[in-house]
Amino acid sequence: MAVSKLLSLTLFITFLCAVNNGRVEATHEIYPQFQSLSAVSVHQLHRTAFHFQPPKNWINDPNAPMYYNGIYHFFYQYNPKGAVWGNIVWAHSVSKDMINWKALEPAIYPSHRFDRKGAWSGSATILPGNKPVILYTGVDPNDRQVQNSAVPANLSDPYLRKWIKPAGLNPVVDPEAGVNASAFRDPTTAWWLSGHWRMVVGSKRNHRGMAYLYRSRDFIHWIKAKHPLHSAPRTGMWECPDFYPILLSGKQGLDTSVLGKQVKHILKVSLDVTRYDYYTVGTYLTDEDRYVPDNTSIDGWAGLRYDYGNFYASKTFFDPAKKRRILWGWVNESDTTSEDVRKGWAGIQAIPRIVWLDPNQRQLMQWPIQELETLRGTNVKMNHQMLKTGDHIEVKGISAAQADVDVTFYIPSLDKVEAFNLGWSLTDAQLLCAKKGSKVQGGIGPFGLLALASENLEEYTPVFFRIFKSSQKHIVLLCSDARSSSLKDGLYKPSFAGFVDVDLTDKKLSLRSLIDHSVVESFGAGGKTCITSRVYPTLAVLENAHLYAFNNGTETIIVENLNAWSMKKPLRMN
Ligand code: DQQ
């Protein structure tokens, strides 16, 4: 083996060990003793109010979100019997606004040989004639992962309650020779090009992440293309791939089949090794049927993430009603498994976000769907509030455990900015945030919000900016640091962080945080960098939760304007 190959392999193994020690583990953990253990009573304390969460049990990946005849459909991986992964079915909810939901019976569940041992993730495509079809992964009795299709039993049922698996057709894709049958899953929404449908299935070949490409004329017979749409070395299993076009400018979304000069493409993969969702911005070379990431997009673990926190197995869909592309993502847990079992639930979905291309064309922007604002209640404001060194000023008058906060900070002077030490890594924001936490004084920052804070700050989740300078360039770090979020032991409390590729000429930085009892979902600089933290405070709960604006830098920061709203509960939730 060549020395360089050996070195890469050693690095890969070291990386795997490091990741696993840090509590992020590959694939779903299996707890046979808990899989079908129903909770005696469902604990309410940390349940979210306005995030998507069923009344009890385990949930994971969003599946096949779609808009059909005036209704949004949302499916998700669900264990109907317990609070850990297992017994997975496709739960199904419908909504007119993606905020208020009605729960239906599971749409897809193991019923045939081709999905006897599992009905796993997949996507929807609306075929001509307004006919939805779902492609999903089934696990057969030999533990082979195969791709199946399901269609609504009755297109005139407005809720599309019942789904059938057309007799004699499934599986529509078998893992052929050379394909790793136990790592072959999560078909994408299909797109149409030159007389064929195309879709991608995630996989790996040794340690190489693969997006296998399939083509079909009729959506029944699928042929594997000679080469994958894309692959990348040493990235491990690619779960839940997502591939879609995005306009070069503007916020409008596109149907998955749109091509043209005004369009770039996004390929997102969920890396099983790290359990984060990474994407690249690139070009779809239609003649070759290959996707090539731009040279500004890193293709691997150091790449761009939708979210630098608890956010995985996401999926987008095109909403033709409002011409936007919407992203759903699973917010995985940071509580212990025994606590999940005791509480009777685990997992939520992030607030659906619209995605569009940053005008710099190097990354995506994300923002909560506008419909969320219908839940805004009592509003308080803070304008032109000075934050001097050491200040933490309370935002009073709202329910701080269930709030939407949108703030713009003004930085009067950037003169005293901290130097960026060249020994620090520009690819490991989390490590930098661990070193430079919310209490470590800097020049410009740390400043931001203390969410889910107890009155005397025994517990708080700080979401904050810190600015550095390296030669002539400012480097902006956004942290959502769970280390001080709870007095409870055993929780996963990472110092989640991401860099913010932002121009500071107007000396402003904005931050929006959606605070919902056990989740803080934040959008830095208008949605350039997003971080979701799952936290379990013991004191900062319900009416004992507080919200503060703070500054621990030597230089004064101004809260130019801050709007905070108490958030109402949706009328019906699942
Ligand atoms: N979850 C599903 C798989 C997918 C994984 C099983 C990602 O299809 O690869 O529940 O979380």
Side-chain angles (χ1 to χ4, degrees), residues 62-68 71-75 95 97-98 101 122-126 189 242-246 252-256 306 314-329 352-355 369 371:
N63 289 156
M66 66 173 185
Y67 178 84
Y68 185 72
I71 305 277
Y72 292 99
H73 293 256
F74 183 65
F75 306 86
S95 169
D97 57 8
M98 284 184 280
W101 291 93
S123 310
T125 306
I126 314 276
T189 294
D242 195 14
F243 183 60
Y244 55 91
I246 196 121
Q252 199 173 306
L254 298 171
D255 177 84
T256 312
Y306 277 149
S314 66
K315 190 170 297 295
T316 64
F317 77 105
F318 173 60
D319 170 12
K322 296 203 172 164
K323 303 222 172 338
R324 54 190 177 168
R325 183 161 284 271
I326 292 173
L327 168 69
W328 278 96
R353 307 170 178 180
I354 57 162
V355 289
I369 54 164
E371 288 86 336

Side-chain angles (χ1 to χ4, degrees), residues 28 60-61 77 85 120-121 185-186 239 275 312-313 330:
H28 301 290
N60 58 290
D61 316 357
Q77 298 274 286
W85 187 86
W120 291 3
S121 288
R185 53 185 182 265
D186 310 334
E239 296 189 313
R275 300 243 116 190
Y312 191 65
W330 165 41

